[in-house]
Amino acid sequence: MDAEISGQLVVPDGARGMVVFVHGSGSSSRSPRNRYVAGALNEAGLGTLLFDLLTPEEEADRANVFDIELLAARLLLATERV
């Protein structure tokens, strides 16, 4: 299952590290709570990347939530790019 996965990357000037938020189902990277936490981390000098491991279409098939190979491959690709 190839899909284009996008996310929200914020890197403050002089960032001391990076936090990668990934979501497999349920709470998405666009949720106000997750964006709030990312904002607090940004203010503390940490970069953040928020993204969902599945597209909305893929989330509709509950089996994808348990497709460990797919989820791990996408997480690995994202962390390599960061």
Side-chain angles (χ1 to χ4, degrees), residues 8-21 35-50 82:
Q8 299 83 43
L9 175 66
V10 176
V11 183
D13 290 338
R16 300 173 306 181
M18 177 68 65
V19 177
V20 179
F21 284 72
R35 295 183 68 97
Y36 173 82
V37 171
L41 291 168
N42 297 149
E43 288 179 20
L46 296 169
T48 55
L49 172 63
L50 282 78
V82 168

Side-chain angles (χ1 to χ4, degrees), residues 48-65:
T48 55
L49 172 63
L50 282 78
F51 75 100
D52 299 311
L53 292 170
L54 298 172
T55 66
E57 296 79 21
E58 291 169 335
E59 280 187 11
D61 180 353
R62 190 77 178 136
N64 288 328
V65 174

Side-chain angles (χ1 to χ4, degrees), residues 1-6 23-26 28-30 51-62 64-65 70-71 74:
M1 281 187 213
D2 290 331
E4 185 172 316
I5 302 296
S6 62
H23 307 277
S25 69
S28 84
S29 63
R30 294 171 300 283
F51 75 100
D52 299 311
L53 292 170
L54 298 172
T55 66
E57 296 79 21
E58 291 169 335
E59 280 187 11
D61 180 353
R62 190 77 178 136
N64 288 328
V65 174
L70 172 66
L71 301 174
R74 289 187 179 167

